Amino acid sequence: MNEDPKVNVSGLPREFVDAGASGNISAEVSSQVPVLQPEPDLVVNPWDIVLCTSGTLISCENAIVVLIIFHNPSLRAPMFLLIGSLALADLLAGIGLIVNFVFAYLLQSEATKLVTIGLIVASFSASVCSLLAITVDRYLSLYYALTYHSERTVTFTYVMLFMLWGTSICLGLLPVLGWNCLRDESTCSVVRPLTKNNAAILSVSFLFTFALMLQLYIQICKIVMRHAHQIALQHHFLATSHYVTTRKGVSTLAIILGTFAACWMPFTLYSLIADYTYPSIYTYATLLPATYNSIINPVIYAFRNQEIQKALCLVCCGCVPPGLSQRARSPSDV
């Protein structure tokens, strides 16, 4: 009797008032309970987009070179076989970068990781080895100028192609055959699933290849300078003309070797000193310039070649420009 009766001032039946009160309470409680947010959509790494774009450009550019050499029967000399090998290796490297992007975001599995990294390792290894083979071929064409165009040279070229592609395929198969870090992350290198030891072998092999190319290009420079001097004496050229021709040849070789080193050296040295604990941005920042080497290779080795220029003009416009057909090869064209 002492309790004060609660007054219903709303004019509604009490059951409606109680229902409304319980509704307000449930609303307050529900506002305090955390709501599960939907999982965010798959975020694409901008670096992966850049690598995929680079792979697309590499594939398109080198596919042109491969098709020109394949469909032109006159381009069967050892030099063009090696240029075709380089273009094919870079083409596979570009395809590997594209496939890596697709598999990383659409079809993630251990098998696809191993196949993708195997393709990328094999193709880039074949690209570097093809550059070394081209350097050897250029040295032989100058040092053995009289006997270069012989059956022995063709046989030697096929042997080089067999060895470089065999070695590159073996390097690409190592991760697939079990030499990977999928079971032990502590052994991973900067490029997963390559092991630290695998990356070290690839890096040391590149440094050894670069040292060989450097030595060969030094010898090529000496031969070019000697040939240019002899031609100048035979044709009574001025000393200035001899200097310009020699400087052009040396500059061309410096650009070729400097571009190769600038593209590959950062990633090579970084792979030797770093491992999987380092930030991935450093891996992307050093790997991207290495892919640019496959973009530059067709410009340096294929599109500068006079015979390939003629074949490309025939395909594009059905004719050969007069200035191109009459252009003479000079000692600086190495």
Side-chain angles (χ1 to χ4, degrees):
M1 298 297 295
N2 295 332
E3 294 178 358
D4 294 333
K6 294 182 179 179
V7 181
N8 180 7
V9 295
S10 63
L12 297 174
R14 181 167 293 278
E15 59 267 23
F16 285 92
V17 176
D18 294 339
S22 62
N24 293 335
I25 293 174
S26 62
E28 294 177 358
V29 173
S30 63
S31 64
Q32 297 176 359
V33 177
V35 180
L36 294 177
Q37 299 293 335
E39 294 184 0
D41 296 335
L42 183 64
V43 179
V44 180
N45 191 333
W47 285 99
D48 289 332
I49 297 178
V50 175
L51 283 176
C52 183
T53 304
S54 178
T56 304
L57 181 58
I58 292 171
S59 301
C60 295
E61 193 177 13
N62 286 278
I64 296 175
V65 180
V66 172
L67 291 175
I68 289 176
I69 295 178
F70 180 78
H71 286 288
N72 197 327
S74 63
L75 302 179
R76 294 294 182 269
M79 175 179 57
F80 297 113
L81 293 177
L82 296 175
I83 292 176
S85 173
L86 175 64
L88 178 60
D90 288 334
L91 172 61
L92 294 177
I95 294 175
L97 294 175
I98 299 173
V99 172
N100 177 67
F101 179 84
V102 174
F103 283 170
Y105 293 98
L106 299 180
L107 188 61
Q108 298 183 5
S109 67
E110 291 187 359
T112 56
K113 290 180 181 178
L114 294 176
V115 171
T116 302
I117 196 65
L119 174 60
I120 292 176
V121 169
S123 55
F124 277 121
S125 299
S127 177
V128 173
C129 291
S130 295
L131 291 175
L132 176 60
I134 291 175
T135 307
V136 172
D137 179 74
R138 288 181 169 180
Y139 171 76
L140 295 177
S141 66
L142 292 174
Y143 192 81
Y144 300 103
L146 298 179
T147 60
Y148 174 75
H149 300 283
S150 63
E151 191 67 26
R152 181 181 301 178
T153 304
V154 177
T155 303
F156 180 72
T157 301
Y158 280 111
V159 171
M160 283 198 302
L161 289 174
F162 177 79
M163 292 180 59
L164 74 88
W165 278 101
T167 303
S168 301
I169 292 174
C170 290
L171 292 174
L173 286 177
L174 289 179
V176 180
L177 296 178
W179 202 8
N180 57 71
C181 63
L182 293 179
R183 297 292 181 266
D184 187 6
E185 188 176 358
S186 62
T187 62
C188 284
S189 65
V190 293
V191 179
R192 194 174 183 272
L194 288 182
T195 63
K196 179 69 175 176
N197 293 334
N198 195 344
I201 290 176
L202 294 174
S203 299
V204 172
S205 299
F206 168 81
L207 293 176
F208 179 73
T209 302
F210 177 76
L212 285 178
M213 292 179 61
L214 178 61
Q215 179 63 27
L216 287 172
Y217 273 125
I218 291 175
Q219 299 301 322
I220 290 175
C221 283
K222 294 180 180 179
I223 296 174
V224 168
M225 294 174 65
R226 185 168 64 250
H227 285 185
H229 179 68
Q230 292 174 354
I231 293 174
L233 292 178
Q234 291 176 1
H235 294 80
H236 305 288
F237 288 163
L238 296 177
T240 304
S241 176
H242 166 237
Y243 171 75
V244 171
T245 302
T246 305
R247 185 182 63 178
K248 182 180 178 182
V250 174
S251 300
T252 302
L253 296 178
I255 291 174
I256 292 174
L257 197 61
T259 301
F260 178 67
C263 290
W264 276 106
M265 197 62 72
F267 180 73
T268 301
L269 298 179
Y270 180 71
S271 298
L272 284 174
I273 63 176
D275 55 24
Y276 73 101
T277 60
Y278 282 61
S280 60
I281 187 173
Y282 298 147
T283 303
Y284 283 111
T286 53
L287 178 60
L288 189 60
T291 64
Y292 290 161
N293 187 65
S294 296
I295 299 177
I296 300 173
N297 283 339
V299 178
I300 294 178
Y301 295 95
F303 297 138
R304 289 178 64 249
N305 185 274
Q306 183 177 353
E307 299 301 323
I308 294 181
Q309 290 177 5
K310 291 180 181 179
L312 185 60
C313 291
L314 287 174
V315 172
C316 295
C317 60
C319 61
V320 178
L324 182 62
S325 59
Q326 298 176 0
R327 179 176 176 266
R329 183 176 178 86
S330 66
S332 62
D333 296 332
V334 293

